[in-house]
Amino acid sequence: MTWLLSLPIIIPFATAVAAFMVKDRPSGAWVSIAGSLLSLLAAAALMVAVLREGVIAAQMGEWAAPFGITL
């Protein structure tokens, strides 16, 4: 379940890249809406996981806390 921790970071970044690529087309607005909905779903899934299991934390890149990023 630790992959849920990275979704609130990955989804907006991927949405920004995709929206930039289609910025001149009418589908650019739909890309932004889809990214927002995916972010909402990821946040809800993360909330459900935290309510079930309690606090969830993970070390990104398997580095220790002072050097790695803790989510």
Side-chain angles (χ1 to χ4, degrees):
M1 280 295 203
T2 57
W3 58 270
L4 277 174
L5 294 172
S6 62
L7 286 181
I9 297 168
I10 293 172
I11 291 173
F13 180 72
T15 300
V17 170
F20 180 74
M21 292 174 69
V22 295
K23 67 181 177 184
D24 296 330
R25 295 183 221 147
S27 60
W30 291 107
V31 169
S32 298
I33 292 170
S36 296
L37 290 175
L38 284 174
S39 292
L40 180 64
L41 291 174
L46 187 57
M47 182 184 72
V48 168
V50 168
L51 290 175
R52 279 191 196 150
E53 302 172 18
V55 175
I56 300 173
Q59 298 291 336
M60 295 296 117
E62 301 296 326
W63 286 63
F67 303 107
I69 297 172
T70 302
L71 295 178

